Amino acid sequence: LFCDGFVYILGHDFDGEHYLYRISEDGSKQEQYMRLYKKELTQTGSEGQSMRYTTPEICIHKGYVYFIIPRETVPTIYRMQLGSENVEKVFELKTERPNLYRMLPYGDFIFFQAGIFSEDYLDVDGGIFAYNVTNGEIKLVKSEAISAYKVVGNSLYYAKSDGVYRFAMDGTLDERIVEYEEYPIFSADEKYIYIEGDNNIIIYDINGDYILTPQLSDNLEIIDTYFGDSKYIFAKGY
């Protein structure tokens, strides 16, 4: 994560203490910045031989770090002011088979998804919520939106099993704008929608009209897409 001239990195020690480290933009300063929480690590084999670690979900927004600790009995969104020691609970999901995931900071809000797994854990009954960082209010923004999503201006773009949909925050619009044969992995900005295809990226305009599929050099194939912003898309390939 990059914020206010620093790169922030998660790390932990062998006692399960999780920290936020930070590195200055030019690399000249590196420090263990703040402690987040302690989570026991699962050890297998002989002592010190291997440790199982699950990465917490985290975001930084308006002077606070927000995080979700993996595999908690009651999934919770926590927040801490950067550089502080005080931990606040933003949201708790107290239910059977809970699922709390995919935080996205935007404007005065932290968006996130929450829901309940089906008994076979193959489906989720849930939606997208918004936490107002200025007054602490939490509200449901869009029900039945359980996959990838992106907020652009006053519109929410979200994935369903048949494509990408656009939902107006005032509730006046909810329509499919890109047809796709499965839940797409996608991103969006003020001009374009980017869908991770089969070893490539498919680009549409913000209204869902097809633009192009970039031609990759030689035999290069994309295996993971990290997306980015309106200027650059980052991906891993071979």
Side-chain angles (χ1 to χ4, degrees):
L1 301 172
F2 181 77
C3 182
D4 297 331
F6 289 93
V7 176
Y8 291 87
I9 300 173
L10 283 168
H12 68 87
D13 60 23
F14 287 100
D15 294 323
E17 296 282 1
H18 287 64
Y19 298 95
L20 193 63
Y21 297 82
R22 71 176 186 177
I23 305 169
S24 60
E25 189 172 3
D26 63 3
S28 62
K29 183 179 180 181
Q30 304 174 27
E31 63 177 330
Q32 182 178 286
Y33 181 55
M34 58 186 292
R35 177 188 181 276
L36 297 181
Y37 66 93
K38 182 173 182 178
K39 180 75 171 180
E40 295 298 329
L41 304 177
T42 301
Q43 184 169 309
T44 58
S46 302
E47 184 175 353
Q49 194 174 47
S50 64
M51 309 285 282
R52 189 175 69 185
Y53 171 69
T54 304
T55 305
E57 187 169 338
I58 187 171
C59 68
I60 295 176
H61 191 51
K62 291 185 179 292
Y64 284 85
V65 54
Y66 297 81
F67 56 95
I68 300 172
I69 300 174
R71 300 180 181 177
E72 279 200 303
T73 303
V74 178
T76 303
I77 296 176
Y78 301 92
R79 81 169 187 171
M80 300 176 67
Q81 192 168 10
L82 287 174
S84 74
E85 298 179 352
N86 298 323
V87 183
E88 304 174 54
K89 290 184 178 180
V90 170
F91 177 80
E92 292 180 297
L93 188 58
K94 296 180 179 180
T95 184
E96 293 184 356
R97 303 184 302 277
N99 192 19
L100 179 62
Y101 58 108
R102 203 176 279 122
M103 292 186 293
L104 174 66
Y106 192 89
D108 288 333
F109 299 93
I110 297 292
F111 291 85
F112 62 92
Q113 287 171 300
I116 302 171
F117 278 114
S118 59
E119 291 188 2
D120 58 9
Y121 283 86
L122 296 178
D123 199 6
V124 177
D125 180 13
I128 299 171
F129 295 78
Y131 166 70
N132 189 317
V133 301
T134 60
N135 60 25
E137 293 181 355
I138 296 176
K139 66 177 182 179
L140 175 65
V141 177
K142 183 70 182 74
S143 61
E144 299 180 358
I146 61 173
S147 190
Y149 70 96
K150 191 74 174 180
V151 181
V152 180
N154 293 319
S155 295
L156 173 71
Y157 294 81
Y158 66 97
K160 293 185 70 173
S161 60
D162 59 353
V164 177
Y165 285 69
R166 178 170 56 193
F167 172 75
M169 294 292 191
D170 60 6
T172 59
L173 181 71
D174 191 5
E175 63 177 356
R176 186 177 66 180
I177 58 172
V178 177
E179 184 176 354
Y180 204 71
E181 66 272 13
E182 57 188 20
Y183 280 101
I185 299 173
F186 82 98
S187 185
D189 56 35
E190 290 79 7
K191 292 184 178 180
Y192 302 108
I193 297 169
Y194 313 92
I195 293 181
E196 181 182 286
D198 294 329
N199 305 122
N200 57 26
I201 297 172
I202 309 167
I203 302 176
Y204 300 81
D205 69 18
I206 203 64
N207 294 313
D209 295 322
Y210 174 78
I211 300 294
L212 59 87
T213 301
Q215 297 299 309
L216 304 179
S217 60
D218 299 325
N219 295 319
L220 180 66
E221 291 187 349
I222 292 173
I223 56 175
D224 280 310
T225 306
Y226 306 116
F227 299 113
D229 57 21
S230 59
K231 293 184 179 180
Y232 296 99
I233 297 173
F234 296 90
K236 180 172 66 175
Y238 64 90

